Amino acid sequence: MNIKSLIGKFGSGARSTNCLRVVVQPYALYFSPLEGVELPKRVSIESGDWQKILVETLTKANVNDLTIDVVLNSNLYQTYQIDKPNVPDEELGQTLPFLLKDLISEKITDIIADATALPNSNKLQVYVVPKALVFGLVQRLEKAKLSLGHVLVEDDVWGLAATDAERFVLLQRSKNSQYKVSAFIDNRCVFQRTIRGVTAPLVGVASSSLQLDGIALELQRSVDYLSSQLRGATLHHMKVCCDEENNDDLARELDERLSVKVSRLTDLPLESGELLTQYVADICDSGINLYPDHLRPKVERFTLNTVAAVCALIAVTLLGSYGYFTWQQVGLNAELSSQRSQEEQLKQQVQQLNQKLAKHKPSAQKVAAVERLKEEIRAKQDSLLAVSRFDDEQNVGYSGVMKGLAKLGRNDISLNYIKMSSDVLDLKGLAREPQSIPNWVNQFKNELNLVGRSFEKLKIGRNEQDVLTFELHTKEDKK
């Protein structure tokens, strides 16, 4: 599926929610269901003026402010096939009437044409409708406060009705109309022919056998013609949808007489108009539309009165804006003057305070004297701290050691020399026996002030009286 088709499907879905679809058949009008609108599904048009009956039906149902899409039956438009011109697509709709001037009897200014490209071909399938038909419908709908949306053709709808095939031949007949043969490729109508001189029904009566053989011959000719003309698109299936016929019997009879398979178009027991109503919502915006945009009345948005009103509104807005900003500027200027006055006062205060500060600023001599005094104070504080620390060491260390030695007094140990400092304890004395010395030293661990004291040197000897002497040194003397 290409992008254009995808966008078209979304567009169709959007229109189907706010558009009323009307299918025009030779014998009746069929209305698609629409929420909030109560209309009959079918209205007969025995008088033939379907436009008048359409407007009367809508008016009677109090339908207004709504867009109407109309699906025309094949009796209301003509089809032609022409070579595709070298014209941009957006200009094709306005060019088509000039391309058809040799094929139609009407004036090119009196017709509306639209076309679709034929698959596997460089030709266009052109649909033509009288301009008076479309414009007459537009005027009648406008009087009823309605607007015409799209003017569609039933050939586009029939192409979607065969849900099981995209390429097929269709034998179709609406009530009060002629038998019609159409060919569809990729759901697009590429061929259409009316079979005249045949009356319904074709099956179910004694005289129908001859008619059935005749129409079968015409159908076979059409199939053979299509097979020779449509290259690469062979058609092997024919569908049947005829009003006032038993489509099952008709399909069976034709299947026996034709070289292609024949079956009914749908299993739904519906008339052609009802069936078209079922599928009309699936038509996308890429289909035929015989009321193109270039024919719609243009809304003059920039009239003289509109431009004058807009200019007046802009002038009033500008004057109001100018007055507002002028008033705002006056207020801001007053506030600016007040701020500048305060600024001048603050500058004067700063100058006065700087002058006072200069008077209170100390001289360099005084600052130097203060620094010298601070240094002197810090030196004295350090001295006091050292003395205090020394006193603490003396009180804690020396007296404690002496008390501890006194507590450990023994009969076999006598001290006659003690040397102490913060990290030195040297002892000299007399001992009765050599083993008394280590026994005495081992008792240091029981005294708080002596615990942890260790000696690096022990010297034992005897004096002149032959008494045992010892010396304990915490640090070995340096030689």
Side-chain angles (χ1 to χ4, degrees), residues 366-418:
K366 293 180 180 179
V367 172
V370 169
E371 292 297 327
R372 289 195 298 273
L373 291 174
K374 289 181 178 179
E375 289 293 333
E376 184 177 356
I377 291 172
R378 284 196 291 269
K380 290 182 178 180
Q381 288 177 344
D382 292 341
S383 299
L384 290 174
L385 182 60
V387 171
S388 175
R389 186 182 299 113
F390 178 78
D391 289 343
D392 292 340
E393 291 178 354
Q394 292 295 324
N395 292 331
V396 174
Y398 302 157
S399 62
V401 171
M402 295 302 293
K403 290 179 181 179
L405 291 174
K407 289 182 180 180
L408 297 178
R410 294 165 60 102
N411 294 329
D412 53 354
I413 294 295
S414 176
L415 295 176
N416 54 21
Y417 176 84
I418 300 173

Side-chain angles (χ1 to χ4, degrees), residues 273-284:
E274 295 178 275
L275 191 61
L276 290 172
T277 307
Q278 297 269 338
Y279 294 97
V280 65
D282 296 332
I283 298 180
C284 62

Side-chain angles (χ1 to χ4, degrees), residues 31-85:
F31 297 91
S32 64
L34 184 64
E35 184 177 358
V37 177
E38 296 183 1
L39 285 169
K41 292 183 179 180
R42 179 182 181 277
V43 175
S44 177
I45 50 173
E46 299 296 339
S47 63
D49 191 353
W50 64 270
Q51 295 187 10
K52 178 181 178 181
I53 296 175
L54 171 62
V55 175
E56 289 177 352
T57 304
L58 296 175
T59 303
K60 187 181 298 184
N62 295 323
V63 177
N64 50 42
D65 296 328
L66 196 65
T67 301
I68 309 298
D69 285 354
V70 176
V71 181
L72 300 179
N73 68 80
S74 59
N75 296 337
L76 298 176
Y77 59 83
Q78 296 174 327
T79 60
Y80 301 92
Q81 286 190 8
I82 61 174
D83 293 331
K84 186 176 181 180

